[in-house]
Amino acid sequence: MSRDHSFTRCPIDPGNFSSRNSDDEDETESKPSSMSYKERRREAHTQAEQKRRDAIKKGFDTLQELVPACKQTDVSGYKLCKANVLQKSIDYIQYLELQKKKQEEERNALRREVVALRIMQTNYEQIVKAQQTQPGHTETRISDEVKFSVLQAIMEHLFFTFSNISVSNFSELSAGVFGWLEEYCKPQTLKETLVQVLRRHNTYIRTQPPKK
DNA sequence: ACTAGTTCTCGGGACTGGGG
DNA sequence: CCCCAGTCCCGAGAACTAGT
């Protein structure tokens, strides 16, 4: 069985175990003043184990500080067991991943909205420009009533087309709006709609008797 | 007293890097 | 290439502690 040893090892301390061969004879503890090779090796091993346990403990302590559900809730020094710290850390990471996903979806939806609004802005600007460059265009005073009536006719037409969009869920609505924008909010289509509405109003206004 | 969790020590397997 | 020191990791068992 081979294990993955991708960790980084600490540099070797030349002060330890520098004369292993010369100490081999000490294993019978014939010299009480100096430790035998076995004893020194055992002591070094104990220290290394202590160091390893400290590192593990430090890691758990850090997790307990970082994960809100693991933080101490009272002054009695309450501490979660390691298994709970691990489980709560896992839960917290999963929660953070979910939050990240939600925020990314929200950001994408907002970006789509920005694109749609820019398309609409461009359309309106082109309509205004086209109207201003029409031959015979004169600045005449239009009443608020007529303006409202024109706007209402345009919006009614748009709403009629918009009402065909499927709204069973958000993604369908989202896709439907894009399709609707591309089909019914094209500059040319809007221009045609506007022309129709204005023609109708022009005819209607001419046939109306002047108000007294 | 019992139980569960933690800490510590010890022994041992496995791996790495340097030296002969 | 082999040996060895140093290191890491793991399991077992003992000791300790805190809660019930």
Side-chain angles (χ1 to χ4, degrees), chain A residues 5-171:
Chain A
H5 277 253
S6 56
F7 50 77
T8 55
R9 289 168 180 275
C10 298
I12 293 165
D13 180 6
N16 287 340
F17 311 105
S18 56
S19 57
R20 185 227 184 305
N21 291 337
S22 64
D23 283 336
D24 280 346
E25 298 80 9
D26 290 341
E27 291 191 4
T28 56
E29 293 187 353
S30 58
K31 293 182 198 167
S33 59
S34 65
M35 285 192 292
S36 68
Y37 167 72
K38 268 191 176 177
E39 280 173 331
R40 286 202 288 173
R41 183 165 172 98
R42 192 180 64 201
E43 193 161 304
H45 182 56
T46 303
Q47 282 178 3
E49 269 299 300
Q50 177 70 58
K51 192 176 154 192
R52 194 179 68 85
R53 284 195 307 275
D54 284 347
I56 293 170
K57 186 173 178 292
K58 193 179 169 189
F60 273 98
D61 287 346
T62 307
L63 267 183
Q64 200 157 359
E65 281 172 22
L66 289 177
V67 178
C70 292
K71 282 183 180 168
Q72 291 179 6
T73 52
D74 59 7
V75 291
S76 65
Y78 164 75
K79 229 179 161 186
L80 287 171
C81 71
K82 292 182 177 180
N84 279 344
V85 170
L86 279 182
Q87 188 55 57
K88 285 183 186 299
S89 300
I90 291 167
D91 292 345
Y92 187 55
I93 289 168
Q94 285 173 340
Y95 163 76
L96 290 178
E97 282 178 343
L98 199 67
Q99 289 294 108
K100 187 187 167 199
K101 198 179 171 186
K102 277 184 185 172
Q103 285 179 354
E104 279 175 357
E105 282 172 4
E106 200 175 328
R107 188 186 62 181
N108 288 337
L110 286 171
R111 279 184 175 164
R112 285 196 294 268
E113 198 176 332
V114 167
V115 170
L117 288 170
R118 283 200 176 131
I119 291 170
M120 289 174 74
Q121 182 192 10
T122 307
N123 287 342
Y124 286 130
E125 283 172 358
Q126 288 186 2
I127 288 166
V128 169
K129 203 174 170 184
Q131 196 179 11
Q132 283 175 347
T133 56
Q134 251 182 359
H137 171 76
T138 52
E139 289 291 335
T140 50
R141 194 75 185 166
I142 302 294
S143 69
D144 286 348
E145 191 186 351
V146 173
K147 281 194 256 180
F148 177 76
S149 178
V150 170
L151 180 65
Q152 189 180 25
I154 293 168
M155 296 312 290
E156 277 174 359
H157 173 78
L158 288 176
F159 182 74
F160 177 75
T161 58
F162 190 83
S163 61
N164 293 326
I165 294 174
S166 170
V167 289
S168 60
N169 59 49
F170 182 78
S171 59

